[in-house]
Amino acid sequence: MPENLAKFCPGCGYPITLLMLNKTLEKLGIQKQAVLGLDIGCALLAWNFLPINTFQTHHGRVVPTMMGFKRARKNSLCVALVGDGGAYAIGLQSLIHAAKRDEPIMVIVTNNTVYGMTGGQTAPTTLNMQITPTSPQGNIEEPFFGPELLKGIVKEGAFLARTAVNEPKQLMEYLEKAIQTQEVGHFSLVEVLSFCPTNWKTVGTQTIDKLNGLKNVFKLGEL
Ligand SMILES: Cc1ncc(C[n+]2csc(CCOP(=O)(O)OP(=O)(O)O)c2C)c(N)n1
Ligand code: SF4
Ligand SMILES: [Mg+2]
């Protein structure tokens, strides 16, 4: 277990995604080629988490940064790790254009339905009537469906999917497909429904129940 796992809250879903990513890179023997870009948000806690080259970007700017990296180093395998706020709010413009241009990078979006790092505020993925510090009487908006939106924008050959941290087999399968998609020159995005017990204010099995409940709204599978 990596020493700095302690940076994440107990029960956080991020370490699962990261360990699965590492396992997949190891399996494919491409750890050395891989470059992990971290958005601001709890993704940044993955600094030095994996034995692969990693760097930090501004909030919502990991996609264009990895795009630039990929253009400069065509043999690298570029992975952008970003939260739902980073991907679908502040970074949405660059995400849409990267998808439209079929930039050959891989984006992993952690969907925990909140702005995790800053205290659980309403994010684009917050459910209707979900209570957060910025929607104390329940969120009046409907959630935003990122992969579904990009479906109408991406070019043939791109890969879009949604899975969850408690679906390890599917998570690994999609990460592998996303990597293979980049290897043949296309854009990919895998959204991962992920535990945030700190902001969900859940303990034990409540956290798992909450995540499983999200699957009724955010449908898992390839798009
Ligand atoms: C330009 C800018 N605006 C706002 C912030 C404050 N900020 C830091 S993390 C964050 C929210 C992160 O939420 P999300 O992207 O969903 O990631 P999570 O922490 O939930 O994984 C915000 C608003 C910032 N760092 N930079
Ligand atoms: S606030 Fe949520 S997403 Fe961030 S480290 Fe803690 S549990 Fe994980
Ligand atoms: Mg979030």
Coordinates of all heavy atoms in Angstrom, one line a residue, residues 8 12 14 39-45 57-61 82-90 109-125 194 196 199, ligand 1:
F8 N -5.5 10.9 1.6 CA -7.0 10.8 1.3 C -7.7 10.5 2.6 O -7.2 9.8 3.5 CB -7.2 9.7 0.3 CG -6.7 10.0 -1.1 CD1 -5.5 9.4 -1.5 CD2 -7.3 10.8 -2.0 CE1 -4.9 9.7 -2.7 CE2 -6.8 11.1 -3.2 CZ -5.6 10.5 -3.6
C12 N -12.2 7.0 1.2 CA -12.3 7.8 -0.1 C -12.2 6.8 -1.3 O -11.5 5.8 -1.2 CB -11.1 8.8 -0.1 SG -11.1 9.7 -1.7
Y14 N -10.9 7.7 -4.4 CA -9.8 8.0 -5.3 C -8.7 6.9 -5.3 O -8.2 6.6 -6.3 CB -9.2 9.4 -4.9 CG -9.7 10.6 -5.7 CD1 -10.6 11.5 -5.1 CD2 -9.3 10.8 -7.0 CE1 -11.0 12.6 -5.8 CE2 -9.8 11.9 -7.7 CZ -10.6 12.8 -7.1 OH -11.1 13.9 -7.8
D39 N -5.7 17.4 -11.7 CA -6.4 18.7 -11.6 C -6.4 19.1 -10.1 O -6.1 18.3 -9.2 CB -7.9 18.5 -12.0 CG -8.5 19.7 -12.6 OD1 -8.1 20.1 -13.7 OD2 -9.4 20.3 -12.0
I40 N -6.8 20.3 -9.9 CA -7.0 20.8 -8.5 C -8.3 20.1 -8.0 O -9.2 19.9 -8.8 CB -7.1 22.3 -8.4 CG1 -5.7 22.9 -8.7 CG2 -7.6 22.8 -7.0 CD1 -4.7 22.7 -7.7
G41 N -8.4 19.9 -6.7 CA -9.5 19.1 -6.1 C -8.8 18.0 -5.4 O -7.6 17.9 -5.3
C42 N -9.5 17.0 -5.0 CA -8.9 15.9 -4.2 C -8.0 15.0 -5.1 O -7.2 14.3 -4.6 CB -9.9 15.1 -3.5 SG -10.7 16.0 -2.2
A43 N -8.1 15.2 -6.5 CA -7.2 14.5 -7.4 C -5.7 14.9 -7.0 O -4.8 14.1 -7.1 CB -7.5 14.9 -8.8
L44 N -5.5 16.1 -6.5 CA -4.1 16.6 -6.3 C -3.5 15.8 -5.2 O -2.3 15.8 -5.0 CB -4.1 18.1 -6.0 CG -4.6 18.6 -4.7 CD1 -3.6 18.5 -3.6 CD2 -5.0 20.1 -4.8
L45 N -4.3 15.1 -4.3 CA -3.7 14.3 -3.2 C -3.0 13.1 -3.8 O -2.3 12.4 -3.0 CB -4.8 13.9 -2.3 CG -5.6 15.0 -1.6 CD1 -6.8 14.5 -0.8 CD2 -4.7 15.9 -0.8
T57 N -1.8 20.6 -12.1 CA -2.2 21.7 -13.0 C -3.2 22.6 -12.1 O -3.5 22.3 -11.0 CB -2.9 21.2 -14.2 OG1 -4.2 20.7 -13.8 CG2 -2.1 20.2 -14.9
H58 N -3.7 23.6 -12.8 CA -4.7 24.5 -12.1 C -6.1 23.8 -12.2 O -6.3 22.9 -13.0 CB -4.8 25.9 -12.8 CG -3.6 26.7 -12.6 ND1 -3.3 27.2 -11.4 CD2 -2.6 27.0 -13.4 CE1 -2.2 27.9 -11.5 NE2 -1.7 27.8 -12.7
H59 N -7.1 24.4 -11.4 CA -8.4 23.8 -11.4 C -9.1 23.9 -12.8 O -9.1 25.0 -13.4 CB -9.3 24.6 -10.4 CG -10.6 23.9 -10.0 ND1 -10.7 22.5 -10.0 CD2 -11.8 24.4 -9.7 CE1 -12.0 22.3 -9.7 NE2 -12.6 23.4 -9.5
G60 N -9.5 22.8 -13.3 CA -10.2 22.7 -14.6 C -9.2 22.8 -15.8 O -9.7 22.9 -16.9
R61 N -7.9 22.7 -15.6 CA -7.0 22.9 -16.7 C -6.1 21.7 -17.0 O -5.2 21.8 -17.7 CB -6.0 24.1 -16.4 CG -6.8 25.4 -16.3 CD -7.5 25.8 -17.6 NE -8.3 27.0 -17.5 CZ -9.6 26.9 -17.3 NH1 -10.3 25.8 -17.3 NH2 -10.3 28.0 -17.2
V82 N -9.3 14.1 -13.0 CA -10.0 15.4 -12.6 C -11.4 15.1 -11.9 O -12.0 14.0 -12.2 CB -10.3 16.2 -14.0 CG1 -11.0 15.4 -15.0 CG2 -11.0 17.5 -13.7
G83 N -11.8 16.0 -11.1 CA -13.1 15.8 -10.4 C -14.2 16.2 -11.3 O -14.0 16.8 -12.4
D84 N -15.4 16.0 -10.8 CA -16.6 16.4 -11.6 C -16.7 17.9 -11.7 O -17.2 18.4 -12.7 CB -17.9 15.8 -11.0 CG -17.9 15.8 -9.5 OD1 -17.1 16.5 -8.8 OD2 -18.8 15.1 -8.9
G85 N -16.3 18.6 -10.7 CA -16.3 20.1 -10.8 C -15.3 20.6 -11.8 O -15.6 21.4 -12.6
G86 N -14.1 20.0 -11.7 CA -13.0 20.4 -12.6 C -13.4 20.1 -14.1 O -13.1 20.9 -15.0
A87 N -14.0 18.9 -14.3 CA -14.3 18.5 -15.7 C -15.5 19.2 -16.2 O -15.5 19.6 -17.4 CB -14.5 16.9 -15.7
Y88 N -16.6 19.2 -15.4 CA -17.9 19.6 -16.0 C -18.4 21.0 -15.6 O -19.4 21.5 -16.1 CB -19.0 18.6 -15.5 CG -18.7 17.2 -15.9 CD1 -19.2 16.2 -15.0 CD2 -18.0 16.8 -17.0 CE1 -19.0 14.8 -15.3 CE2 -17.8 15.5 -17.3 CZ -18.3 14.5 -16.4 OH -18.1 13.2 -16.7
A89 N -17.6 21.7 -14.8 CA -17.9 23.2 -14.5 C -16.7 24.0 -15.1 O -16.7 24.3 -16.3 CB -18.1 23.4 -13.0
I90 N -15.7 24.3 -14.3 CA -14.7 25.2 -14.7 C -13.9 24.7 -15.9 O -13.4 25.5 -16.7 CB -13.7 25.5 -13.5 CG1 -12.8 26.7 -13.8 CG2 -13.0 24.3 -13.1 CD1 -12.1 27.3 -12.6
V109 N -12.7 11.0 -14.9 CA -13.4 12.0 -14.1 C -14.0 11.3 -12.9 O -14.7 10.3 -13.0 CB -14.6 12.6 -14.9 CG1 -15.4 13.6 -14.0 CG2 -14.2 13.2 -16.2
T110 N -13.6 11.7 -11.7 CA -14.1 11.2 -10.5 C -15.4 11.9 -10.2 O -15.4 13.1 -9.9 CB -13.1 11.4 -9.3 OG1 -11.9 10.8 -9.7 CG2 -13.6 10.9 -8.0
N111 N -16.5 11.2 -10.2 CA -17.8 11.8 -9.9 C -18.2 11.4 -8.5 O -18.6 10.3 -8.2 CB -18.8 11.3 -11.0 CG -20.2 11.8 -10.7 OD1 -20.5 12.5 -9.7 ND2 -21.2 11.5 -11.5
N112 N -18.0 12.4 -7.6 CA -18.4 12.1 -6.2 C -19.6 13.0 -5.9 O -20.0 13.2 -4.7 CB -17.3 12.3 -5.2 CG -16.6 13.7 -5.4 OD1 -17.2 14.6 -6.0 ND2 -15.4 13.8 -4.9
T113 N -20.2 13.6 -6.9 CA -21.4 14.5 -6.8 C -21.2 15.8 -6.0 O -22.2 16.5 -5.8 CB -22.7 13.8 -6.3 OG1 -22.6 13.6 -4.9 CG2 -22.9 12.4 -6.9
V114 N -20.0 16.1 -5.7 CA -19.8 17.4 -4.9 C -18.4 17.9 -5.2 O -17.5 17.3 -5.8 CB -19.8 17.1 -3.4 CG1 -21.2 16.9 -2.9 CG2 -18.8 16.0 -2.9
Y115 N -18.2 19.2 -4.8 CA -16.8 19.8 -4.8 C -16.2 19.3 -3.5 O -16.3 19.9 -2.4 CB -16.9 21.3 -4.7 CG -17.2 22.0 -6.0 CD1 -17.4 23.4 -6.1 CD2 -17.4 21.3 -7.2 CE1 -17.6 24.0 -7.3 CE2 -17.6 22.0 -8.4 CZ -17.8 23.3 -8.4 OH -18.0 24.0 -9.6
G116 N -15.5 18.1 -3.6 CA -15.0 17.4 -2.4 C -14.0 18.2 -1.6 O -14.2 18.5 -0.4
M117 N -12.9 18.7 -2.3 CA -11.8 19.3 -1.6 C -12.2 20.6 -0.8 O -11.7 20.8 0.3 CB -10.7 19.6 -2.5 CG -9.6 20.5 -1.9 SD -8.0 20.1 -2.6 CE -7.5 18.7 -1.6
T118 N -13.2 21.3 -1.3 CA -13.5 22.6 -0.7 C -14.7 22.5 0.3 O -15.2 23.5 0.8 CB -13.8 23.6 -1.8 OG1 -14.7 23.1 -2.8 CG2 -12.5 24.1 -2.4
G119 N -15.2 21.3 0.6 CA -16.2 21.2 1.6 C -17.5 20.7 1.2 O -18.5 20.8 1.9
G120 N -17.6 20.1 0.0 CA -18.9 19.4 -0.4 C -19.9 20.2 -1.0 O -21.1 19.9 -1.0
Q121 N -19.5 21.4 -1.6 CA -20.5 22.3 -2.2 C -21.1 21.6 -3.5 O -20.6 20.6 -4.0 CB -19.8 23.6 -2.7 CG -19.3 24.4 -1.5 CD -17.9 24.1 -1.1 OE1 -17.3 23.1 -1.6 NE2 -17.3 24.9 -0.3
T122 N -22.2 22.2 -3.9 CA -23.0 21.7 -5.1 C -22.0 21.7 -6.3 O -21.4 22.7 -6.6 CB -24.2 22.6 -5.4 OG1 -25.0 22.6 -4.2 CG2 -25.0 22.1 -6.6
A123 N -22.0 20.6 -7.1 CA -21.2 20.5 -8.3 C -22.2 20.2 -9.4 O -23.4 20.0 -9.2 CB -20.3 19.3 -8.1
P124 N -21.7 20.2 -10.7 CA -22.7 19.9 -11.8 C -23.4 18.6 -11.7 O -24.4 18.3 -12.2 CB -21.8 20.0 -13.0 CG -20.6 20.8 -12.6 CD -20.4 20.5 -11.2
T125 N -22.7 17.6 -11.0 CA -23.2 16.3 -10.8 C -24.1 16.1 -9.6 O -24.6 14.9 -9.4 CB -22.1 15.3 -10.8 OG1 -21.1 15.8 -9.8 CG2 -21.4 15.1 -12.1
S194 N -17.6 7.7 -7.3 CA -16.6 7.5 -6.3 C -17.0 7.9 -4.9 O -17.8 8.9 -4.8 CB -15.3 8.3 -6.7 OG -14.3 8.0 -5.9
C196 N -17.2 9.6 -1.3 CA -16.7 10.8 -0.6 C -17.4 10.8 0.8 O -18.3 11.6 1.0 CB -16.9 12.0 -1.4 SG -16.3 13.5 -0.5
N199 N -17.8 14.2 2.8 CA -18.8 15.2 2.5 C -20.2 14.6 2.4 O -21.2 15.4 2.5 CB -18.4 15.9 1.1 CG -17.2 16.8 1.3 OD1 -17.3 17.7 2.2 ND2 -16.1 16.6 0.7
Ligands
LIG1 C1 -9.8 28.9 -10.4 C2 -10.1 28.2 -9.2 N1 -11.4 28.3 -8.7 C3 -11.7 27.7 -7.5 C4 -10.8 27.0 -6.8 C5 -11.2 26.4 -5.5 N2 -11.3 24.9 -5.7 C6 -10.3 24.1 -5.3 S1 -10.8 22.5 -5.5 C7 -12.4 23.0 -5.9 C8 -13.5 22.0 -6.2 C9 -13.0 20.6 -6.5 O1 -14.2 19.8 -6.8 P1 -14.0 18.7 -7.9 O2 -13.4 19.2 -9.1 O3 -15.4 18.0 -8.0 O4 -13.0 17.7 -7.3 P2 -13.1 16.8 -5.9 O5 -12.4 17.5 -4.9 O6 -14.5 16.6 -5.6 O7 -12.4 15.5 -6.3 C10 -12.5 24.3 -6.0 C11 -13.8 25.1 -6.3 C12 -9.5 26.9 -7.4 N3 -8.5 26.1 -6.8 N4 -9.2 27.5 -8.5

